[in-house]
Amino acid sequence: MSHEIYARVFTTAYALLATSALVVGASAPFLAVLLFTPVTASWPLLVLTAPSVGPAFAAAHAVFGSVARDDGAPVVRGFLRAWRRHGRRAAIVAGAASAVLAVLAVDVRAAWGTPVGAVAIPVLVVLAVLTAVTALVALTGVVEHPDVPLRRLVRACLFLGLRRAHFTAVSLVVLWVLAAAVGAMPVPALALLTGPALYVVWVGSRATLRPLRVVPGSEPDPRSVAAR
């Protein structure tokens, strides 16, 4: 192996591990509630702290993009700059998604075991999956298309997430595996797997957004995007 390959492997490994630590630190309020309190009793706190996850995910995606373009791109400074630049829009996405998911979870619990549940629960589950898919793609979209109005970007992400469902399905599976690993071994999983998992999500979401082409000064039309 040449020196360049060794350097690239080392740079990639460092970026993934450093991003893991940065994401965990930026998402500390949510992770603390998730790991150290009963979910059934603390779900309002989970909803309140969930917006902290959005800026962390978006900043991680920005770091991956910078490192992919330039091996020497700073990881820590890049993460902090991206967190400041995209944090507000990413927090709105994460907060809205967590609120919707909380409402859907309450509805599922209320409908469980009732006659209407057989019809309502599958619909609610589908809505929850669509919400999660849209939020995942949008957290990459706020980085890739920072000048697009958030409402239109979310609409385009919903259409593209459905149209390129194979990418979003892989992202959901990877995050499910990460969540299972965190439940079994919280510290090693968060330290070692967070960065690689988010890298896979970034690759999939970026591929999902590829048909979205925005001319400077214009806004994306979800209907035209979905037609591609």
Side-chain angles (χ1 to χ4, degrees):
M1 296 176 66
S2 64
H3 173 73
E4 290 77 10
I5 295 178
Y6 278 116
R8 184 60 183 268
V9 170
F10 176 81
T11 301
T12 302
Y14 166 73
L16 294 177
L17 292 176
T19 301
S20 294
L22 291 167
V23 170
V24 170
S27 307
F30 176 79
L31 292 175
V33 175
L34 180 66
L35 296 176
F36 300 115
T37 60
V39 176
T40 55
S42 63
W43 66 265
L45 289 176
L46 287 175
V47 176
L48 290 175
T49 56
S52 66
V53 177
F57 276 35
H61 295 169
V63 168
F64 297 146
S66 298
V67 173
R69 292 188 296 269
D70 178 12
D71 291 346
V75 175
V76 177
R77 283 184 298 166
F79 184 94
L80 295 176
R81 284 198 301 264
W83 192 93
R84 289 193 298 267
R85 181 183 181 188
H86 307 293
R88 184 183 65 84
R89 281 162 43 104
I92 292 173
V93 171
S98 62
V100 172
L101 290 174
V103 171
L104 293 174
V106 171
D107 291 342
V108 168
R109 184 173 182 180
W112 193 270
T114 64
V116 73
V119 176
I121 290 177
V123 175
L124 295 173
V125 170
V126 170
L127 291 176
V129 173
L130 291 178
T131 301
V133 165
T134 304
L136 278 180
V137 179
L139 289 176
T140 301
V142 298
V143 176
E144 299 291 327
H145 302 282
D147 299 326
V148 176
L150 193 56
R151 182 187 301 179
R152 293 183 179 273
L153 179 64
V154 169
R155 289 172 57 195
C157 290
L158 172 60
F159 279 100
L160 288 173
L162 290 175
R163 184 171 179 80
R164 299 194 153 197
H166 51 293
F167 291 123
T168 50
V170 172
S171 297
L172 291 177
V173 169
V174 168
L175 290 180
W176 182 271
V177 172
L178 175 62
V182 170
M185 298 178 295
V187 174
L190 289 172
L192 300 176
L193 300 181
T194 302
L198 292 183
Y199 183 84
V200 174
V201 173
W202 170 73
V203 171
S205 296
R206 201 178 189 192
T208 300
L209 289 169
R210 192 167 296 149
L212 183 59
R213 295 290 182 268
V214 181
V215 178
S218 67
E219 298 176 348
D221 184 354
R223 290 171 295 181
S224 64
V225 169
R228 295 181 183 179

mmCIF file with all atom_site columns, all heavy atoms in Angstrom, residues 113-139:
data_model
loop_
_atom_site.group_PDB
_atom_site.id
_atom_site.type_symbol
_atom_site.label_atom_id
_atom_site.label_alt_id
_atom_site.label_comp_id
_atom_site.label_asym_id
_atom_site.label_entity_id
_atom_site.label_seq_id
_atom_site.pdbx_PDB_ins_code
_atom_site.Cartn_x
_atom_site.Cartn_y
_atom_site.Cartn_z
_atom_site.occupancy
_atom_site.B_iso_or_equiv
_atom_site.pdbx_formal_charge
_atom_site.auth_seq_id
_atom_site.auth_comp_id
_atom_site.auth_asym_id
_atom_site.auth_atom_id
_atom_site.pdbx_PDB_model_num
ATOM 1   N N   . GLY A 1 113 ? -55.333 -2.357 20.898 1.00 0.00 ? 113 GLY A N   1
ATOM 2   C CA  . GLY A 1 113 ? -56.316 -3.225 21.542 1.00 0.00 ? 113 GLY A CA  1
ATOM 3   C C   . GLY A 1 113 ? -57.758 -2.817 21.323 1.00 0.00 ? 113 GLY A C   1
ATOM 4   O O   . GLY A 1 113 ? -58.667 -3.458 21.867 1.00 0.00 ? 113 GLY A O   1
ATOM 5   N N   . THR A 1 114 ? -57.989 -1.785 20.538 1.00 0.00 ? 114 THR A N   1
ATOM 6   C CA  . THR A 1 114 ? -59.352 -1.350 20.246 1.00 0.00 ? 114 THR A CA  1
ATOM 7   C C   . THR A 1 114 ? -59.732 -1.807 18.837 1.00 0.00 ? 114 THR A C   1
ATOM 8   O O   . THR A 1 114 ? -58.861 -2.097 18.003 1.00 0.00 ? 114 THR A O   1
ATOM 9   C CB  . THR A 1 114 ? -59.462 0.181  20.332 1.00 0.00 ? 114 THR A CB  1
ATOM 10  O OG1 . THR A 1 114 ? -58.642 0.771  19.310 1.00 0.00 ? 114 THR A OG1 1
ATOM 11  C CG2 . THR A 1 114 ? -59.000 0.670  21.701 1.00 0.00 ? 114 THR A CG2 1
ATOM 12  N N   . PRO A 1 115 ? -61.042 -1.872 18.549 1.00 0.00 ? 115 PRO A N   1
ATOM 13  C CA  . PRO A 1 115 ? -61.462 -2.297 17.200 1.00 0.00 ? 115 PRO A CA  1
ATOM 14  C C   . PRO A 1 115 ? -60.905 -1.406 16.085 1.00 0.00 ? 115 PRO A C   1
ATOM 15  O O   . PRO A 1 115 ? -60.578 -1.894 15.005 1.00 0.00 ? 115 PRO A O   1
ATOM 16  C CB  . PRO A 1 115 ? -62.992 -2.211 17.269 1.00 0.00 ? 115 PRO A CB  1
ATOM 17  C CG  . PRO A 1 115 ? -63.306 -2.385 18.717 1.00 0.00 ? 115 PRO A CG  1
ATOM 18  C CD  . PRO A 1 115 ? -62.184 -1.714 19.453 1.00 0.00 ? 115 PRO A CD  1
ATOM 19  N N   . VAL A 1 116 ? -60.805 -0.105 16.358 1.00 0.00 ? 116 VAL A N   1
ATOM 20  C CA  . VAL A 1 116 ? -60.318 0.792  15.318 1.00 0.00 ? 116 VAL A CA  1
ATOM 21  C C   . VAL A 1 116 ? -58.806 0.666  15.132 1.00 0.00 ? 116 VAL A C   1
ATOM 22  O O   . VAL A 1 116 ? -58.257 1.096  14.100 1.00 0.00 ? 116 VAL A O   1
ATOM 23  C CB  . VAL A 1 116 ? -60.683 2.256  15.664 1.00 0.00 ? 116 VAL A CB  1
ATOM 24  C CG1 . VAL A 1 116 ? -59.817 2.781  16.819 1.00 0.00 ? 116 VAL A CG1 1
ATOM 25  C CG2 . VAL A 1 116 ? -60.562 3.158  14.450 1.00 0.00 ? 116 VAL A CG2 1
ATOM 26  N N   . GLY A 1 117 ? -58.128 0.058  16.099 1.00 0.00 ? 117 GLY A N   1
ATOM 27  C CA  . GLY A 1 117 ? -56.676 -0.054 16.023 1.00 0.00 ? 117 GLY A CA  1
ATOM 28  C C   . GLY A 1 117 ? -56.195 -0.857 14.835 1.00 0.00 ? 117 GLY A C   1
ATOM 29  O O   . GLY A 1 117 ? -55.125 -0.575 14.281 1.00 0.00 ? 117 GLY A O   1
ATOM 30  N N   . ALA A 1 118 ? -56.962 -1.878 14.427 1.00 0.00 ? 118 ALA A N   1
ATOM 31  C CA  . ALA A 1 118 ? -56.549 -2.716 13.302 1.00 0.00 ? 118 ALA A CA  1
ATOM 32  C C   . ALA A 1 118 ? -56.409 -1.907 12.016 1.00 0.00 ? 118 ALA A C   1
ATOM 33  O O   . ALA A 1 118 ? -55.610 -2.251 11.138 1.00 0.00 ? 118 ALA A O   1
ATOM 34  C CB  . ALA A 1 118 ? -57.545 -3.847 13.101 1.00 0.00 ? 118 ALA A CB  1
ATOM 35  N N   . VAL A 1 119 ? -57.174 -0.835 11.907 1.00 0.00 ? 119 VAL A N   1
ATOM 36  C CA  . VAL A 1 119 ? -57.097 0.019  10.722 1.00 0.00 ? 119 VAL A CA  1
ATOM 37  C C   . VAL A 1 119 ? -56.173 1.206  10.960 1.00 0.00 ? 119 VAL A C   1
ATOM 38  O O   . VAL A 1 119 ? -55.373 1.573  10.096 1.00 0.00 ? 119 VAL A O   1
ATOM 39  C CB  . VAL A 1 119 ? -58.506 0.517  10.325 1.00 0.00 ? 119 VAL A CB  1
ATOM 40  C CG1 . VAL A 1 119 ? -58.417 1.484  9.146  1.00 0.00 ? 119 VAL A CG1 1
ATOM 41  C CG2 . VAL A 1 119 ? -59.406 -0.661 9.986  1.00 0.00 ? 119 VAL A CG2 1
ATOM 42  N N   . ALA A 1 120 ? -56.270 1.782  12.142 1.00 0.00 ? 120 ALA A N   1
ATOM 43  C CA  . ALA A 1 120 ? -55.554 3.024  12.411 1.00 0.00 ? 120 ALA A CA  1
ATOM 44  C C   . ALA A 1 120 ? -54.061 2.805  12.624 1.00 0.00 ? 120 ALA A C   1
ATOM 45  O O   . ALA A 1 120 ? -53.239 3.607  12.156 1.00 0.00 ? 120 ALA A O   1
ATOM 46  C CB  . ALA A 1 120 ? -56.154 3.725  13.626 1.00 0.00 ? 120 ALA A CB  1
ATOM 47  N N   . ILE A 1 121 ? -53.676 1.736  13.307 1.00 0.00 ? 121 ILE A N   1
ATOM 48  C CA  . ILE A 1 121 ? -52.271 1.560  13.672 1.00 0.00 ? 121 ILE A CA  1
ATOM 49  C C   . ILE A 1 121 ? -51.364 1.412  12.447 1.00 0.00 ? 121 ILE A C   1
ATOM 50  O O   . ILE A 1 121 ? -50.302 2.045  12.386 1.00 0.00 ? 121 ILE A O   1
ATOM 51  C CB  . ILE A 1 121 ? -52.113 0.373  14.638 1.00 0.00 ? 121 ILE A CB  1
ATOM 52  C CG1 . ILE A 1 121 ? -52.720 0.740  15.996 1.00 0.00 ? 121 ILE A CG1 1
ATOM 53  C CG2 . ILE A 1 121 ? -50.654 -0.026 14.788 1.00 0.00 ? 121 ILE A CG2 1
ATOM 54  C CD1 . ILE A 1 121 ? -52.688 -0.374 17.017 1.00 0.00 ? 121 ILE A CD1 1
ATOM 55  N N   . PRO A 1 122 ? -51.734 0.594  11.440 1.00 0.00 ? 122 PRO A N   1
ATOM 56  C CA  . PRO A 1 122 ? -50.863 0.541  10.245 1.00 0.00 ? 122 PRO A CA  1
ATOM 57  C C   . PRO A 1 122 ? -50.690 1.901  9.572  1.00 0.00 ? 122 PRO A C   1
ATOM 58  O O   . PRO A 1 122 ? -49.588 2.231  9.104  1.00 0.00 ? 122 PRO A O   1
ATOM 59  C CB  . PRO A 1 122 ? -51.584 -0.455 9.339  1.00 0.00 ? 122 PRO A CB  1
ATOM 60  C CG  . PRO A 1 122 ? -52.365 -1.310 10.267 1.00 0.00 ? 122 PRO A CG  1
ATOM 61  C CD  . PRO A 1 122 ? -52.817 -0.404 11.356 1.00 0.00 ? 122 PRO A CD  1
ATOM 62  N N   . VAL A 1 123 ? -51.768 2.690  9.537  1.00 0.00 ? 123 VAL A N   1
ATOM 63  C CA  . VAL A 1 123 ? -51.671 4.023  8.936  1.00 0.00 ? 123 VAL A CA  1
ATOM 64  C C   . VAL A 1 123 ? -50.733 4.909  9.751  1.00 0.00 ? 123 VAL A C   1
ATOM 65  O O   . VAL A 1 123 ? -49.885 5.630  9.208  1.00 0.00 ? 123 VAL A O   1
ATOM 66  C CB  . VAL A 1 123 ? -53.067 4.666  8.830  1.00 0.00 ? 123 VAL A CB  1
ATOM 67  C CG1 . VAL A 1 123 ? -52.961 6.100  8.312  1.00 0.00 ? 123 VAL A CG1 1
ATOM 68  C CG2 . VAL A 1 123 ? -53.967 3.841  7.926  1.00 0.00 ? 123 VAL A CG2 1
ATOM 69  N N   . LEU A 1 124 ? -50.851 4.841  11.069 1.00 0.00 ? 124 LEU A N   1
ATOM 70  C CA  . LEU A 1 124 ? -49.993 5.648  11.938 1.00 0.00 ? 124 LEU A CA  1
ATOM 71  C C   . LEU A 1 124 ? -48.533 5.230  11.817 1.00 0.00 ? 124 LEU A C   1
ATOM 72  O O   . LEU A 1 124 ? -47.634 6.076  11.841 1.00 0.00 ? 124 LEU A O   1
ATOM 73  C CB  . LEU A 1 124 ? -50.470 5.522  13.386 1.00 0.00 ? 124 LEU A CB  1
ATOM 74  C CG  . LEU A 1 124 ? -51.864 6.085  13.685 1.00 0.00 ? 124 LEU A CG  1
ATOM 75  C CD1 . LEU A 1 124 ? -52.276 5.740  15.107 1.00 0.00 ? 124 LEU A CD1 1
ATOM 76  C CD2 . LEU A 1 124 ? -51.868 7.598  13.483 1.00 0.00 ? 124 LEU A CD2 1
ATOM 77  N N   . VAL A 1 125 ? -48.290 3.939  11.680 1.00 0.00 ? 125 VAL A N   1
ATOM 78  C CA  . VAL A 1 125 ? -46.915 3.455  11.524 1.00 0.00 ? 125 VAL A CA  1
ATOM 79  C C   . VAL A 1 125 ? -46.319 3.958  10.210 1.00 0.00 ? 125 VAL A C   1
ATOM 80  O O   . VAL A 1 125 ? -45.151 4.376  10.155 1.00 0.00 ? 125 VAL A O   1
ATOM 81  C CB  . VAL A 1 125 ? -46.868 1.920  11.609 1.00 0.00 ? 125 VAL A CB  1
ATOM 82  C CG1 . VAL A 1 125 ? -45.492 1.397  11.208 1.00 0.00 ? 125 VAL A CG1 1
ATOM 83  C CG2 . VAL A 1 125 ? -47.212 1.458  13.014 1.00 0.00 ? 125 VAL A CG2 1
ATOM 84  N N   . VAL A 1 126 ? -47.099 3.912  9.147  1.00 0.00 ? 126 VAL A N   1
ATOM 85  C CA  . VAL A 1 126 ? -46.624 4.425  7.859  1.00 0.00 ? 126 VAL A CA  1
ATOM 86  C C   . VAL A 1 126 ? -46.307 5.909  7.961  1.00 0.00 ? 126 VAL A C   1
ATOM 87  O O   . VAL A 1 126 ? -45.273 6.375  7.447  1.00 0.00 ? 126 VAL A O   1
ATOM 88  C CB  . VAL A 1 126 ? -47.677 4.165  6.761  1.00 0.00 ? 126 VAL A CB  1
ATOM 89  C CG1 . VAL A 1 126 ? -47.297 4.908  5.473  1.00 0.00 ? 126 VAL A CG1 1
ATOM 90  C CG2 . VAL A 1 126 ? -47.795 2.677  6.484  1.00 0.00 ? 126 VAL A CG2 1
ATOM 91  N N   . LEU A 1 127 ? -47.162 6.673  8.635  1.00 0.00 ? 127 LEU A N   1
ATOM 92  C CA  . LEU A 1 127 ? -46.899 8.098  8.811  1.00 0.00 ? 127 LEU A CA  1
ATOM 93  C C   . LEU A 1 127 ? -45.615 8.329  9.616  1.00 0.00 ? 127 LEU A C   1
ATOM 94  O O   . LEU A 1 127 ? -44.849 9.253  9.329  1.00 0.00 ? 127 LEU A O   1
ATOM 95  C CB  . LEU A 1 127 ? -48.087 8.764  9.505  1.00 0.00 ? 127 LEU A CB  1
ATOM 96  C CG  . LEU A 1 127 ? -49.377 8.856  8.693  1.00 0.00 ? 127 LEU A CG  1
ATOM 97  C CD1 . LEU A 1 127 ? -50.497 9.448  9.544  1.00 0.00 ? 127 LEU A CD1 1
ATOM 98  C CD2 . LEU A 1 127 ? -49.165 9.699  7.439  1.00 0.00 ? 127 LEU A CD2 1
ATOM 99  N N   . ALA A 1 128 ? -45.383 7.484  10.614 1.00 0.00 ? 128 ALA A N   1
ATOM 100 C CA  . ALA A 1 128 ? -44.167 7.613  11.413 1.00 0.00 ? 128 ALA A CA  1
ATOM 101 C C   . ALA A 1 128 ? -42.923 7.338  10.565 1.00 0.00 ? 128 ALA A C   1
ATOM 102 O O   . ALA A 1 128 ? -41.910 8.049  10.678 1.00 0.00 ? 128 ALA A O   1
ATOM 103 C CB  . ALA A 1 128 ? -44.221 6.660  12.604 1.00 0.00 ? 128 ALA A CB  1
ATOM 104 N N   . VAL A 1 129 ? -42.988 6.310  9.724  1.00 0.00 ? 129 VAL A N   1
ATOM 105 C CA  . VAL A 1 129 ? -41.852 6.000  8.849  1.00 0.00 ? 129 VAL A CA  1
ATOM 106 C C   . VAL A 1 129 ? -41.601 7.143  7.862  1.00 0.00 ? 129 VAL A C   1
ATOM 107 O O   . VAL A 1 129 ? -40.447 7.539  7.632  1.00 0.00 ? 129 VAL A O   1
ATOM 108 C CB  . VAL A 1 129 ? -42.096 4.678  8.101  1.00 0.00 ? 129 VAL A CB  1
ATOM 109 C CG1 . VAL A 1 129 ? -41.012 4.439  7.055  1.00 0.00 ? 129 VAL A CG1 1
ATOM 110 C CG2 . VAL A 1 129 ? -42.130 3.516  9.083  1.00 0.00 ? 129 VAL A CG2 1
ATOM 111 N N   . LEU A 1 130 ? -42.664 7.690  7.288  1.00 0.00 ? 130 LEU A N   1
ATOM 112 C CA  . LEU A 1 130 ? -42.504 8.813  6.362  1.00 0.00 ? 130 LEU A CA  1
ATOM 113 C C   . LEU A 1 130 ? -41.892 10.021 7.062  1.00 0.00 ? 130 LEU A C   1
ATOM 114 O O   . LEU A 1 130 ? -41.057 10.731 6.485  1.00 0.00 ? 130 LEU A O   1
ATOM 115 C CB  . LEU A 1 130 ? -43.863 9.186  5.761  1.00 0.00 ? 130 LEU A CB  1
ATOM 116 C CG  . LEU A 1 130 ? -44.483 8.180  4.800  1.00 0.00 ? 130 LEU A CG  1
ATOM 117 C CD1 . LEU A 1 130 ? -45.851 8.669  4.334  1.00 0.00 ? 130 LEU A CD1 1
ATOM 118 C CD2 . LEU A 1 130 ? -43.579 7.939  3.605  1.00 0.00 ? 130 LEU A CD2 1
ATOM 119 N N   . THR A 1 131 ? -42.296 10.259 8.300  1.00 0.00 ? 131 THR A N   1
ATOM 120 C CA  . THR A 1 131 ? -41.731 11.371 9.061  1.00 0.00 ? 131 THR A CA  1
ATOM 121 C C   . THR A 1 131 ? -40.243 11.172 9.298  1.00 0.00 ? 131 THR A C   1
ATOM 122 O O   . THR A 1 131 ? -39.433 12.094 9.107  1.00 0.00 ? 131 THR A O   1
ATOM 123 C CB  . THR A 1 131 ? -42.454 11.511 10.415 1.00 0.00 ? 131 THR A CB  1
ATOM 124 O OG1 . THR A 1 131 ? -43.847 11.737 10.187 1.00 0.00 ? 131 THR A OG1 1
ATOM 125 C CG2 . THR A 1 131 ? -41.888 12.661 11.220 1.00 0.00 ? 131 THR A CG2 1
ATOM 126 N N   . ALA A 1 132 ? -39.863 9.969  9.702  1.00 0.00 ? 132 ALA A N   1
ATOM 127 C CA  . ALA A 1 132 ? -38.449 9.682  9.962  1.00 0.00 ? 132 ALA A CA  1
ATOM 128 C C   . ALA A 1 132 ? -37.620 9.794  8.683  1.00 0.00 ? 132 ALA A C   1
ATOM 129 O O   . ALA A 1 132 ? -36.518 10.365 8.684  1.00 0.00 ? 132 ALA A O   1
ATOM 130 C CB  . ALA A 1 132 ? -38.307 8.286  10.568 1.00 0.00 ? 132 ALA A CB  1
ATOM 131 N N   . VAL A 1 133 ? -38.144 9.266  7.585  1.00 0.00 ? 133 VAL A N   1
ATOM 132 C CA  . VAL A 1 133 ? -37.425 9.317  6.307  1.00 0.00 ? 133 VAL A CA  1
ATOM 133 C C   . VAL A 1 133 ? -37.235 10.761 5.855  1.00 0.00 ? 133 VAL A C   1
ATOM 134 O O   . VAL A 1 133 ? -36.131 11.173 5.448  1.00 0.00 ? 133 VAL A O   1
ATOM 135 C CB  . VAL A 1 133 ? -38.184 8.506  5.243  1.00 0.00 ? 133 VAL A CB  1
ATOM 136 C CG1 . VAL A 1 133 ? -37.662 8.834  3.843  1.00 0.00 ? 133 VAL A CG1 1
ATOM 137 C CG2 . VAL A 1 133 ? -38.058 7.016  5.519  1.00 0.00 ? 133 VAL A CG2 1
ATOM 138 N N   . THR A 1 134 ? -38.302 11.540 5.920  1.00 0.00 ? 134 THR A N   1
ATOM 139 C CA  . THR A 1 134 ? -38.212 12.939 5.497  1.00 0.00 ? 134 THR A CA  1
ATOM 140 C C   . THR A 1 134 ? -37.207 13.708 6.336  1.00 0.00 ? 134 THR A C   1
ATOM 141 O O   . THR A 1 134 ? -36.408 14.497 5.813  1.00 0.00 ? 134 THR A O   1
ATOM 142 C CB  . THR A 1 134 ? -39.592 13.606 5.590  1.00 0.00 ? 134 THR A CB  1
ATOM 143 O OG1 . THR A 1 134 ? -40.536 12.869 4.807  1.00 0.00 ? 134 THR A OG1 1
ATOM 144 C CG2 . THR A 1 134 ? -39.541 15.033 5.085  1.00 0.00 ? 134 THR A CG2 1
ATOM 145 N N   . ALA A 1 135 ? -37.226 13.491 7.656  1.00 0.00 ? 135 ALA A N   1
ATOM 146 C CA  . ALA A 1 135 ? -36.294 14.199 8.538  1.00 0.00 ? 135 ALA A CA  1
ATOM 147 C C   . ALA A 1 135 ? -34.847 13.819 8.238  1.00 0.00 ? 135 ALA A C   1
ATOM 148 O O   . ALA A 1 135 ? -33.967 14.680 8.197  1.00 0.00 ? 135 ALA A O   1
ATOM 149 C CB  . ALA A 1 135 ? -36.637 13.896 10.000 1.00 0.00 ? 135 ALA A CB  1
ATOM 150 N N   . LEU A 1 136 ? -34.582 12.525 8.010  1.00 0.00 ? 136 LEU A N   1
ATOM 151 C CA  . LEU A 1 136 ? -33.219 12.090 7.719  1.00 0.00 ? 136 LEU A CA  1
ATOM 152 C C   . LEU A 1 136 ? -32.679 12.756 6.454  1.00 0.00 ? 136 LEU A C   1
ATOM 153 O O   . LEU A 1 136 ? -31.550 13.266 6.433  1.00 0.00 ? 136 LEU A O   1
ATOM 154 C CB  . LEU A 1 136 ? -33.175 10.570 7.564  1.00 0.00 ? 136 LEU A CB  1
ATOM 155 C CG  . LEU A 1 136 ? -33.105 9.734  8.837  1.00 0.00 ? 136 LEU A CG  1
ATOM 156 C CD1 . LEU A 1 136 ? -33.066 8.252  8.485  1.00 0.00 ? 136 LEU A CD1 1
ATOM 157 C CD2 . LEU A 1 136 ? -31.892 10.110 9.667  1.00 0.00 ? 136 LEU A CD2 1
ATOM 158 N N   . VAL A 1 137 ? -33.473 12.731 5.400  1.00 0.00 ? 137 VAL A N   1
ATOM 159 C CA  . VAL A 1 137 ? -33.019 13.328 4.139  1.00 0.00 ? 137 VAL A CA  1
ATOM 160 C C   . VAL A 1 137 ? -32.897 14.841 4.283  1.00 0.00 ? 137 VAL A C   1
ATOM 161 O O   . VAL A 1 137 ? -31.958 15.464 3.766  1.00 0.00 ? 137 VAL A O   1
ATOM 162 C CB  . VAL A 1 137 ? -33.977 12.952 3.001  1.00 0.00 ? 137 VAL A CB  1
ATOM 163 C CG1 . VAL A 1 137 ? -33.519 13.586 1.688  1.00 0.00 ? 137 VAL A CG1 1
ATOM 164 C CG2 . VAL A 1 137 ? -34.063 11.441 2.843  1.00 0.00 ? 137 VAL A CG2 1
ATOM 165 N N   . ALA A 1 138 ? -33.820 15.452 5.022  1.00 0.00 ? 138 ALA A N   1
ATOM 166 C CA  . ALA A 1 138 ? -33.796 16.907 5.175  1.00 0.00 ? 138 ALA A CA  1
ATOM 167 C C   . ALA A 1 138 ? -32.589 17.375 5.963  1.00 0.00 ? 138 ALA A C   1
ATOM 168 O O   . ALA A 1 138 ? -32.079 18.474 5.727  1.00 0.00 ? 138 ALA A O   1
ATOM 169 C CB  . ALA A 1 138 ? -35.082 17.378 5.858  1.00 0.00 ? 138 ALA A CB  1
ATOM 170 N N   . LEU A 1 139 ? -32.101 16.568 6.907  1.00 0.00 ? 139 LEU A N   1
ATOM 171 C CA  . LEU A 1 139 ? -30.917 16.966 7.670  1.00 0.00 ? 139 LEU A CA  1
ATOM 172 C C   . LEU A 1 139 ? -29.668 17.007 6.799  1.00 0.00 ? 139 LEU A C   1
ATOM 173 O O   . LEU A 1 139 ? -28.722 17.727 7.109  1.00 0.00 ? 139 LEU A O   1
ATOM 174 C CB  . LEU A 1 139 ? -30.711 16.021 8.862  1.00 0.00 ? 139 LEU A CB  1
ATOM 175 C CG  . LEU A 1 139 ? -31.729 16.169 9.979  1.00 0.00 ? 139 LEU A CG  1
ATOM 176 C CD1 . LEU A 1 139 ? -31.500 15.124 11.056 1.00 0.00 ? 139 LEU A CD1 1
ATOM 177 C CD2 . LEU A 1 139 ? -31.687 17.571 10.575 1.00 0.00 ? 139 LEU A CD2 1
#
